[in-house]
């Protein structure tokens, strides 16, 4: 052995994860894009009118096996700058309309395209910032063994009420045992949370403390 860590490729838990999950993701994303095309158009027009252009916010995020992809969302912040031309803090640039988009998760709708492309899944660990990759401990890195999700186990178990370590522990627990029943339950809980506006929307510096690393593995339960 030369001391170099060898990554063990993730083994699907069962037939659902291996054969069914990806086709279901594609069908559901395509169906949603068609059914809600009118809503996408309305939100795009409102974003352009209230926040300016570009309408779509694009940012690199790590996906399965830490492969970098471009995440698409509706923008929720302005480009307001100070006298020196520097962007103002996120809390200042996040407008009332932007907060509404996040509270209703409407800003996440363009991620349906990421699902069709194969970057993401409907359910999985949320894709976070690229700069966090070196900060994960060995256990937390397993959250990247599968495609990131539009929603996930951590998002329906508290999200902002959880510590980073708790969120990652939920992510890894999900990766270790992916089932249709669990995915269906997560989707149902997500829909409920969106209607109740209990904070299932995407992560950002205006709503979530920055991750600075963990020294020890975390476990749920």
């Amino acid at each position: 052995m030369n001391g170099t860590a060898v990554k063990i490729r993730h083994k699907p838990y069962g037939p659902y994860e291996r054969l069914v999950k990806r086709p279901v993701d594609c069908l559901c994303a395509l169906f949603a894009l068609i059914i809600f095309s009118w809503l996408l158009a309305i939100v795009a027009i409102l974003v352009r009118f209230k926040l300016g252009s570009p309408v779509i916010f694009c940012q690199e995020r790590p996906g399965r096996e830490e492969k970098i992809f471009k995440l698409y969302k509706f923008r929720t912040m302005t480009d307001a700058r100070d006298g020196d031309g520097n962007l103002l803090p996120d809390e200042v640039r996040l407008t009332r309309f932007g907060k509404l988009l996040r509270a209703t998760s409407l800003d996440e709708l363009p991620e349906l395209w990421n699902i069709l492309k194969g970057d993401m899944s409907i359910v999985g660990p949320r894709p976070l910032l690229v700069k966090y990759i070196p900060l994960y401990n060995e256990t937390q890195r397993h959250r990247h063994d599968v495609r990131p999700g539009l929603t996930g186990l951590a998002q329906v178990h508290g999200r902002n009420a959880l510590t980073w370590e708790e969120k990652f522990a939920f992510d890894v627990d999900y990766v270790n045992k992916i089932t249709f029943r669990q995915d269906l339950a997560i989707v149902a809980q997500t829909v409920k949370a969106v209607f109740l506006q209990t904070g299932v929307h995407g992560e950002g510096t205006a709503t979530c403390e920055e991750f600075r690393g963990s020294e020890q593995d975390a476990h749920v339960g």
Side-chain angles (χ1 to χ4, degrees), residues 96-218:
R96 185 175 180 180
F97 175 67
K99 291 179 181 178
L100 176 63
L101 289 181
R102 292 189 179 191
T104 57
S105 292
L106 290 174
D107 64 318
E108 309 282 358
L109 287 177
E111 290 173 41
L112 292 169
W113 177 243
N114 284 119
I115 294 174
L116 279 180
K117 287 177 59 185
D119 301 324
M120 294 178 60
S121 179
I122 293 175
V123 180
R126 282 295 298 165
L128 301 176
L129 301 178
V130 174
K131 69 179 182 179
Y132 291 168
I133 293 178
L135 303 179
Y136 297 129
N137 62 38
E138 192 60 32
T139 296
Q140 292 166 350
R141 287 190 66 183
H142 285 293
R143 70 189 307 277
H144 291 139
D145 288 353
V146 300
R147 289 183 178 87
L150 189 64
T151 185
L153 192 60
Q155 280 61 51
V156 297
H157 279 86
R159 189 176 166 260
N160 283 337
L162 302 174
T163 65
W164 278 112
E165 287 73 19
E166 289 171 331
K167 294 175 188 178
F168 296 151
F170 274 119
D171 290 342
V172 174
D173 281 354
Y174 173 81
V175 169
N176 288 337
K177 189 175 181 179
I178 297 175
T179 66
F180 175 73
R181 182 175 180 178
Q182 178 175 234
D183 276 7
L184 196 61
I186 291 173
V187 170
Q189 292 175 63
T190 299
V191 172
K192 178 181 178 181
V194 168
F195 277 107
L196 296 177
Q197 296 187 14
T198 52
V200 186
H201 47 80
E203 292 78 0
T205 54
T207 58
C208 187
E209 183 181 356
E210 185 174 353
F211 177 56
R212 301 185 184 280
S214 301
E215 293 183 0
Q216 300 179 350
D217 292 352

Side-chain angles (χ1 to χ4, degrees), residues 39-41 43-45 47 55-57 72-77 101 106-110:
L39 183 58
L40 282 158
V43 174
I45 292 172
V47 170
V55 170
I56 299 296
F57 170 76
Y72 302 106
K73 300 173 67 172
F74 282 121
R75 72 182 299 174
T76 56
M77 294 188 287
L101 289 181
L106 290 174
D107 64 318
E108 309 282 358
L109 287 177

Side-chain angles (χ1 to χ4, degrees), residues 69-83:
F69 71 96
K70 290 184 178 180
L71 177 80
Y72 302 106
K73 300 173 67 172
F74 282 121
R75 72 182 299 174
T76 56
M77 294 188 287
T78 68
D79 288 328
R81 299 174 183 270
D82 60 23

